[in-house]
Amino acid sequence: MNQRFDLISVGDNCIDRLSGRAAVALVGGNAVNVAVQAARAGLRTAYVGVVGPEGEANGDRVAAALMANGVDIGWLERGARRTPVTEQYVGTDGDRKILREDFGACTGWTPRPDILAALTTAPHVHIGWINDGGAARRALVRRGVSVSQDISVNCLSAGDISVEGLEIAFASLPEARAAEAEDCAAALVAKGAKAAVVTLGRLGSLALAGNRLHCADAAGIEATDTTGAGDSYIAGFLAARLVGAPVTEAMAAGHARAAATCTHPGGFPQ
């Protein structure tokens, strides 16, 4: 197998317009954040997605941010709609609240068949927010690709976040619902995921893998902005697992990367 990349991240991108404690506009999106943070962790990564039309400033900005962090953008497409924009409010405690999401060019997008074929050369593919009814996930799983997906995104259809065939299903629950984490992970595995990881903000995370339950504590920090922290956890977890680390070490790596992200605005330094 041609392993040009260690990890390929597929799906959403956006411009995060933050207000409140952190008032700034930054490049983000689950799939972009995972790609960048995995690259910062030392993996050879690529991003597959769509931004706005040629010459659109926001699309150019997304492309430039990816390249600046060593992420390959050879499969980045330019669409007819504008680059997505997400408006978020960051409170005094650093917690962010999504105010409005405009999915723009990502709405209804899925990778072309030739790109999907090329993705089979990667040891692992991560899917972020994607609005294709699960088409990319099913196509990759049929071809034997190891796939993870974040299923705690604000999807446009239930089919976008089904878990059948996933190597890892990533989910998140608010701290007030931490008691539900074990049942959540078990349900994801029962529905067809081989493993499930549930993040719980400051209360840590829980993983169900190989019929074993693992728990990990989050790093105790004062957050500046939690935007992208969950995406960074995913990147840290995957980067560790892809080099052979056990689940508990991968969880610790995820929390370390999430904690670092909480010390600055946005999903990665810009």
Side-chain angles (χ1 to χ4, degrees):
M1 178 182 290
N2 174 15
Q3 295 187 0
R4 179 184 171 194
F5 301 110
D6 302 308
L7 171 71
I8 300 175
S9 189
V10 179
D12 58 320
N13 62 81
C14 71
I15 299 298
D16 281 323
R17 291 179 179 165
L18 308 180
S19 60
R21 181 177 183 178
V24 66
L26 300 168
V27 172
N30 180 280
V32 164
N33 289 338
V34 169
V36 168
Q37 289 288 358
R40 291 172 64 85
L43 297 188
R44 298 167 299 172
T45 67
Y47 171 71
V48 178
V50 61
V51 293
E54 291 288 348
E56 184 213 48
N58 282 345
D60 292 345
R61 187 175 178 189
V62 170
L66 287 161
M67 288 191 295
N69 283 277
V71 179
D72 188 279
I73 61 168
W75 291 309
L76 179 64
E77 300 179 50
R78 307 294 299 230
R81 297 189 179 113
R82 72 176 187 170
T83 297
V85 173
T86 299
E87 296 179 1
Q88 305 187 63
Y89 178 81
V90 182
T92 55
D93 59 356
D95 282 346
R96 60 89 186 237
K97 178 181 180 181
I98 295 176
L99 303 177
R100 187 180 71 89
E101 292 180 284
D102 174 4
F103 298 111
C106 292
T107 306
W109 173 88
T110 195
R112 301 190 313 263
D114 61 311
I115 295 178
L116 281 171
L119 299 188
T120 62
T121 64
H124 189 81
V125 173
H126 175 72
I127 299 175
W129 185 98
I130 192 169
N131 176 220
D132 67 348
R137 172 184 54 81
R138 290 191 298 271
L140 292 168
V141 168
R142 280 197 304 269
R143 298 182 189 205
V145 180
S146 174
V147 181
S148 61
Q149 185 168 359
D150 186 345
I151 61 121
S152 291
V153 295
N154 294 330
C155 63
L156 295 183
S157 72
D160 293 344
I161 54 172
S162 296
V163 301
E164 293 87 356
L166 290 181
E167 190 71 24
I168 309 170
F170 288 99
S172 63
L173 289 174
E175 295 166 17
R177 296 175 57 193
E180 303 172 31
E182 187 172 344
D183 287 342
C184 175
L188 293 173
V189 170
K191 291 177 181 177
K194 295 179 183 177
V197 178
V198 183
T199 57
L200 303 164
R202 294 175 177 85
L203 298 183
S205 61
L206 177 147
L208 179 59
N211 295 318
R212 292 188 60 188
L213 194 65
H214 308 270
C215 296
D217 294 327
I221 63 164
E222 182 177 343
T224 296
D225 173 25
T226 60
T227 300
D231 307 336
S232 295
Y233 178 100
I234 291 172
F237 185 97
L238 291 176
R241 287 294 280 164
L242 287 171
V243 296
V247 172
T248 51
E249 289 184 17
M251 296 170 79
H255 280 303
R257 193 152 289 275
T261 296
C262 289
T263 65
H264 58 73
F268 55 92
Q270 294 174 57

